[in-house]
Structure formats: structure tokens, C-alpha cells
Amino acid sequence: MATEDVKLIGSWASVYVMRARIALHLKSISYEFLQETYGSKSELLLKSNPVHKKMPVLIHADKPVCESNIIVHYIDEAWNSSGPSILPSHPYDRAIARFWAAYIDDQWFISVRSILTAQGDEEKKAAIAQVEERTKLLEKAFNDCSQGKPFFNGDHIGYLDIALGSFLGWWRVVELDANHKFLDETKTPSLVKWAERFCDDPAVKPIMPEITKLAEFARKLFPKRQA
Amino acid sequence: MATEDVKLIGSWASVYVMRARIALHLKSISYEFLQETYGSKSELLLKSNPVHKKMPVLIHADKPVCESNIIVHYIDEAWNSSGPSILPSHPYDRAIARFWAAYIDDQWFISVRSILTAQGDEEKKAAIAQVEERTKLLEKAFNDCSQGKPFFNGDHIGYLDIALGSFLGWWRVVELDANHKFLDETKTPSLVKWAERFCDDPAVKPIMPEITKLAEFARKLFPKRQA
């Protein structure tokens, strides 16, 4: 295991922090995990990411790198000779992985989150329908990218696996809240199996949060919905 | 000049299409420019980018690549031995370039656009103040990245130069509309000189739209503001 000067500012419950952690685990990079407390921001976080003031921040040899997908790129490029390559090797496959990773953040996740913040049954129903539709696109993307292999990236976890897989814990919390299953043997058979493999991967298993703990945390984050 | 099978679906007035065109010019890739008509979408565009239905789409050997910054990455990686490298060579510099490129699209441009869509003087004044503040950050980013060299990327145009430089035409239109100068010798001396160099670069000059033509087009796009 590499023993470079690596710190990660983050929190156990954050999807975006999990991306950086999975990438570090895949590359066998040891790091100091500096946990933030929800509701406050440490001086180091504010100093390291003065523009967005958000975690995660990776600090490598005293230099900060911000934004989860940029951190994953950085880890892949800075430690390109350690462990498996996280981005696909062919430029076209890289473009496709980046395209779907951006889709997951900019479109798919927006609709997932809107289920938790929906006002009334109609709005919630519409949000659920949109997630269904967008998840179907991801099922197709999985079949196209994986080409019959276990992961989006082929034989091992890669960029797009991390981008979507980091949401799996929160997605399960949303499923429980909405009383609706999105990952389902009938609708998304490939993603169901992929999700199992992803959560069982040695780079993911130790850091994937327990659903009960995450659900409890979600109730604190979205207190209005308890009314 | 490379003579591969390259097509670009786009329009002369689009910032995002310009990014792909500058990258192709930097790499000396010849391409067929398939211009879309504003207000309608060609069958080829809808087929090539069924998810977002947006230009630009680069079609290389019949395979479509979508989203401007992803296209620029693709061009740099697929033609890595032609012309200068567009992304910086060091992983940390790449992370910084990606960070500011994302900032330009997700934050800076949002405030620039809000000047054109502001309702009333107060809203417009607030939008102008926000652009001022965010442009100051970009002035600092330029000084940090360029290290006294002519471009964000050093001696020649690179990823971050393309990300911001592609906005220069529209930015001038917004300046005229708001009757307010953002790029100014006193407030942003480095960016003023950078903008001149960028527009004079042989990869940019032939495709940077004329401001009068762009302003006329803007009046068609934002007709409500004429009322």
C-alpha cells in the first residue's frame, strides 16, 4: 500500500466523498480520513475549497483537489501505475463513461432527490415516474458499456461504476421512503445484479453505509417530511 | 491536416459548439460542419444525441460524442499525437483546469445569463454584481494557472482557455446589453490581455463570431427584452 501524504476531508454519509474513497481503495492508497461534522464546516475545509466550501477535498502533498469526479480523475492519473485503471483505456469509452457520469449527477440524481422533497402525492408520483424512466436509460447504458462483463467498466469497477454505485445506499433509503422499488429483477435485471456485485467489491464493502444508519441520518436531514 | 471521417453538428453562434471547433482547429483535424437551424433539430442530431437532443455532437467514424467539454477531452485523447496537448500534462494542473472549467459552466455563466433574463433594474444590478465577483475569481485563477505565460494553459491555448474563451463573443454582447464593462484594464488587467491573445489565435480567429451579428441574433433569442 502506498504511504504518500494523502488526506481526505469528508463524511461517511456523503455520496460524493464515497467516490473519492472507492477510488483511493481501488488504487490501494492509504489516507487520513478527516471527518466533517454535519451542520458545520472545518477551517481546513473552508481553506481548502474556498470557492464551493464543500466536501470532498483530497489533499495530496498539501495541495487540495475538489469536486468528486475531478478527484476520481486525479487519483487515476496521479497514481496511474498503482492498481487498475479507473477510466476506460480507449478515448471513446472514456467519453461514454464521462457522458453517463454527468447524466447521473445532472439529471438522474436530481429526480431521485426530488422524491424526498416532493410536496404532496401528485408531485411525488411524477418524481417517481421520472426516476423510473431515467433508470431505464441507465439499465440500457449498463448493457451497452459492460458488453456482458460484470461492471460498466468491464471486468473491474471503473469511473462510471463509482459515479452510480456511490448512490446505492441513498437510493435504497429513497426506495424505503417512497415505498417503491426502482432496482427490480423485472425492470432493471442487469442493474440489480451489478448493484450486488458493486456492494460486495472489496473496495466498496467496508465503506458502504448501513441502510438503517443512513435512513436515520436522512430523517435528520429532511425533518419537514416527518410532519 | 488529418483527413479522418469527422463531422460536427452545431451552429456558428453556440459557445459550446465553438469549444469543439477550437479543439479541432488546434489539432488540425479537418471536419464537416453540419449546421443546425435554430428553432428546429435535425434528424441526425436527434439520432446522435437522443438523451439531451443538444448540439454539439462530434461524429468520429460514425460514433457520436456529446457534451462540449467531453468532446474537447475526446479530441485531445483520440488525436493525442497531433498538435499541442489541450489538457495540461501534470495530473494536478489537469484537476485545476477541470475545476475552473466546471466553475465557468455551473456558476459564472449562470450569473452572466441572468443579466439577460433579469426582470427589472434591481435584479439586473444584483446579477451584474455577481458576475463582477465571479470574474474576479477567474482573474485570480488566470494569474495562478498561467504563471506569467500568455494562456491559462501556459504557452498555448488549452482546456481552460477554450472553456472561458468560447464565451467571449456572448460576453461582449451581454456587456453591450447591460451597458457595463466586465473585462476592464483596472479590474481584470490579466484577463483583458488574455482575451485579446485568445481572439487573435489562429485556431480561434476564423470562427469567433462578429459581435454585431451575435447581438442581432441575441435580439431574436431574447425578444421579450425588447418590450
Side-chain angles (χ1 to χ4, degrees), chain A residues 40-114:
Chain A
S40 70
K41 291 174 196 276
S42 71
E43 220 168 288
L44 185 64
L45 173 61
L46 297 174
K47 190 186 124 196
S48 307
N49 188 358
V51 175
H52 301 304
K53 303 175 178 65
K54 279 183 183 166
M55 56 172 132
V57 180
L58 181 82
I59 304 178
H60 181 203
D62 293 328
K63 287 172 149 183
V65 180
C66 307
E67 301 283 89
S68 66
N69 286 337
I70 294 175
I71 292 173
V72 174
H73 269 88
Y74 176 78
I75 291 168
D76 197 32
E77 292 170 358
W79 287 278
N80 65 347
S81 56
S82 320
S85 178
I86 295 174
L87 269 293
S89 57
H90 191 279
Y92 188 74
D93 298 333
R94 293 160 87 93
I96 296 299
R98 287 175 180 134
F99 175 86
W100 286 112
Y103 178 81
I104 287 163
D105 283 1
D106 299 341
Q107 307 233 327
W108 177 84
F109 172 62
I110 303 299
S111 30
V112 172
R113 193 178 52 188
S114 69

Side-chain angles (χ1 to χ4, degrees), chain A residues 200-218:
Chain A
D200 271 347
D201 192 276
V204 176
K205 204 169 185 171
I207 52 173
M208 182 59 80
E210 282 172 36
I211 303 305
T212 47
K213 201 176 158 196
L214 211 50
E216 196 185 311
F217 183 68

Side-chain angles (χ1 to χ4, degrees), chain A residues 4 16 19 26 53 65 73 104 110 120 123 131 133 137 151 173 178 182 189 192 202 211 221:
Chain A
E4 304 206 40
Y16 305 106
R19 288 180 178 170
L26 282 171
K53 303 175 178 65
V65 180
H73 269 88
I104 287 163
I110 303 299
E123 212 176 295
V131 174
E133 190 192 318
L137 277 185
F151 296 105
V173 169
F182 294 105
V192 166
I211 303 305
L221 269 187

Side-chain angles (χ1 to χ4, degrees), chain A residues 92 96 99-100 103 107 133-134 137 140-141 144, chain B residues 9 41-59 62-67:
Chain A
Y92 188 74
I96 296 299
F99 175 86
W100 286 112
Y103 178 81
Q107 307 233 327
E133 190 192 318
R134 292 180 172 179
L137 277 185
K140 187 180 176 315
D144 292 346
Chain B
I9 305 176
K41 290 174 196 276
S42 72
E43 221 168 287
L44 185 64
L45 173 61
L46 297 173
K47 190 186 124 197
S48 308
N49 189 357
V51 175
H52 301 304
K53 303 176 178 64
K54 279 184 183 165
M55 56 173 130
V57 181
L58 181 82
I59 304 178
D62 293 329
K63 287 171 149 184
V65 180
C66 307
E67 301 283 90

Side-chain angles (χ1 to χ4, degrees), chain B:
Chain B
M1 181 165 289
T3 53
E4 304 205 40
D5 177 15
V6 181
K7 295 181 181 78
L8 181 70
I9 305 176
S11 158
W12 65 274
S14 160
V15 164
Y16 305 106
V17 173
M18 181 176 281
R19 288 180 178 170
R21 296 182 78 193
I22 295 170
L24 287 165
H25 287 211
L26 281 171
K27 292 285 192 179
S28 302
I29 313 294
S30 64
Y31 61 98
E32 191 181 346
F33 190 33
L34 306 172
Q35 291 226 49
E36 290 287 306
T37 311
Y38 265 91
S40 69
K41 290 174 196 276
S42 72
E43 221 168 287
L44 185 64
L45 173 61
L46 297 173
K47 190 186 124 197
S48 308
N49 189 357
V51 175
H52 301 304
K53 303 176 178 64
K54 279 184 183 165
M55 56 173 130
V57 181
L58 181 82
I59 304 178
H60 181 204
D62 293 329
K63 287 171 149 184
V65 180
C66 307
E67 301 283 90
S68 67
N69 285 337
I70 294 175
I71 292 173
V72 174
H73 269 88
Y74 176 78
I75 291 168
D76 198 31
E77 292 170 358
W79 287 278
N80 65 346
S81 56
S82 320
S85 179
I86 295 174
L87 268 293
S89 56
H90 191 279
Y92 188 75
D93 297 333
R94 294 161 86 94
I96 296 299
R98 287 176 180 134
F99 175 86
W100 286 112
Y103 178 81
I104 287 163
D105 283 1
D106 299 341
Q107 307 233 326
W108 177 84
F109 172 62
I110 302 299
S111 31
V112 172
R113 193 178 51 188
S114 69
I115 295 174
L116 284 180
T117 55
Q119 305 287 326
D121 281 353
E122 276 312 300
E123 213 176 294
K124 195 167 180 171
K125 216 171 131 184
I128 288 173
Q130 197 174 53
V131 174
E132 286 276 355
E133 190 192 318
R134 293 180 171 178
T135 304
K136 260 188 225 160
L137 277 185
L138 295 179
E139 170 83 3
K140 186 180 176 314
F142 177 82
N143 291 329
D144 292 346
C145 292
S146 64
Q147 297 277 325
K149 293 189 171 175
F151 296 105
F152 279 97
N153 194 45
D155 289 319
H156 64 82
I157 284 178
Y159 185 66
L160 188 46
D161 297 284
I162 295 173
L164 184 61
S166 56
F167 279 111
L168 284 170
W170 275 101
W171 203 6
R172 185 78 193 106
V173 169
V174 174
E175 283 188 334
L176 290 169
D177 178 88
N179 196 23
H180 185 97
K181 228 163 156 43
F182 294 105
L183 282 186
D184 170 292
E185 280 291 353
T186 319
K187 293 178 288 186
T188 58
S190 303
L191 283 183
V192 166
K193 289 191 195 77
W194 163 80
E196 278 171 22
R197 280 190 294 266
F198 183 83
C199 292
D200 271 347
D201 192 276
V204 176
K205 204 168 186 173
I207 52 173
M208 182 59 81
E210 282 172 36
I211 303 305
T212 47
K213 201 176 156 195
L214 211 50
E216 197 185 310
F217 183 68
R219 281 190 290 273
K220 280 183 203 158
L221 269 187
F222 301 96
K224 283 176 194 163
R225 307 206 67 251
Q226 292 180 305

Side-chain angles (χ1 to χ4, degrees), chain A residues 108 115 125 127-143 171-172 174-175 178-194:
Chain A
W108 177 84
I115 295 174
K125 217 171 130 183
I128 288 173
Q130 198 175 52
V131 174
E132 287 276 356
E133 190 192 318
R134 292 180 172 179
T135 304
K136 260 187 224 161
L137 277 185
L138 295 179
E139 170 82 3
K140 187 180 176 315
F142 177 82
N143 291 329
W171 203 5
R172 185 78 192 108
V174 174
E175 283 188 333
N179 196 24
H180 185 98
K181 228 163 156 42
F182 294 105
L183 282 185
D184 169 292
E185 280 291 353
T186 319
K187 292 178 288 186
T188 58
S190 303
L191 282 183
V192 166
K193 289 191 194 77
W194 163 80

